[in-house]
Amino acid sequence: MTEEIQKSELAKMIDHTVLKACAQAGQIDKLCIEANEFGFASVCVNSSWVMRCVKNLLSSDVVVCTVIGFPLGAASTLAKAAEAAIAVEQGAEELDMVINVGKLLDGQFDFVRNDIAAVVNAANGKTVKVIIEICNLDDDQIVKACELSKEAGAHFVKTSTGFDESGATVEAIQLMRKTVGPDMGVKASGGIRTREVALKMIEAGANRI
């Protein structure tokens, strides 16, 4: 089935991303031009670039995505919620937040759920994707992170920041899709650089790359 996906359909599943600390205005503008040209789902940038991207994409179907608590996820819940609220006020339509991995590994599940829920509430209806950083988790912990994300009202679970040891795997995507069911989004992120790999992730259950 995935072999039949056209370029335009695949493009609609892609978040075109620049998150490096040294990114400059010209790179952000180029990101927006490329996203508009190819019809990507979104551009994903650090929050200081949200307003520039919104301006660049005013007449486009491409939405602006930003990251929350990135890349560590260890900021306070209040800080994450504030960051989310400001980003939405400035025009972000999607928010990719990083889970507090340390709290998850400590078994502080109420904290993790409430941390995610605070960002979901601050997002005021905008799409929230929860980055669970699979390279730090075993299968049971991946399942728990997905369950907590779903319970907190998030819209997607996402494999990786791309800033840690490794990125998405087919096995993790399959497990995440099985856990969250058909109605929640699954985003494969990190190390996906060819159509072939992207299609494998989609076949495994990802609906955003």
Side-chain angles (χ1 to χ4, degrees), residues 75-166:
S76 72
T77 298
L78 284 174
K80 286 181 177 177
E83 188 176 21
I86 292 167
V88 168
E89 183 179 340
Q90 292 181 340
E93 295 287 336
E94 297 186 356
L95 308 173
D96 287 17
M97 71 160 290
V98 187
I99 201 169
N100 192 313
V101 182
K103 299 286 189 180
L104 179 74
L105 295 175
D106 271 343
Q108 297 187 42
F109 301 139
D110 287 342
F111 180 98
V112 174
R113 185 189 301 106
N114 292 338
D115 191 58
I116 299 166
V119 173
V120 171
N121 291 336
N124 196 27
K126 304 302 183 184
T127 297
V128 174
K129 312 188 198 93
V130 180
I131 305 170
I132 65 174
E133 203 70 288
I134 61 168
C135 65
N136 295 314
L137 307 177
D138 62 25
D139 284 358
D140 289 342
Q141 292 161 344
I142 290 172
V143 168
K144 190 62 180 180
C146 290
E147 290 173 344
L148 293 170
S149 299
K150 189 171 185 178
E151 291 166 10
H155 305 90
F156 277 78
V157 284
K158 174 179 171 181
T159 59
S160 320
T161 60
F163 279 61
D164 216 315
E165 294 176 7
S166 60

Side-chain angles (χ1 to χ4, degrees), residues 55-73:
K55 184 177 179 180
N56 284 343
L57 295 167
L58 275 177
S59 59
S60 172
D61 293 331
V62 178
V63 303
V64 177
C65 174
T66 194
V67 287
I68 304 297
F70 192 87
L72 302 179

Side-chain angles (χ1 to χ4, degrees), residues 28-55:
I28 300 300
D29 293 343
K30 183 173 182 284
L31 185 81
C32 293
I33 291 167
E34 291 172 347
N36 195 39
E37 177 183 351
F38 293 105
F40 293 137
S42 80
V43 294
C44 187
V45 295
N46 283 297
S47 59
S48 63
W49 297 112
V50 164
M51 294 178 71
R52 189 179 189 95
C53 290
V54 169
K55 184 177 179 180

Side-chain angles (χ1 to χ4, degrees), residues 182-194:
D183 299 326
M184 189 172 178
V186 175
K187 180 175 173 180
S189 176
I192 304 167
R193 294 182 174 84
T194 68

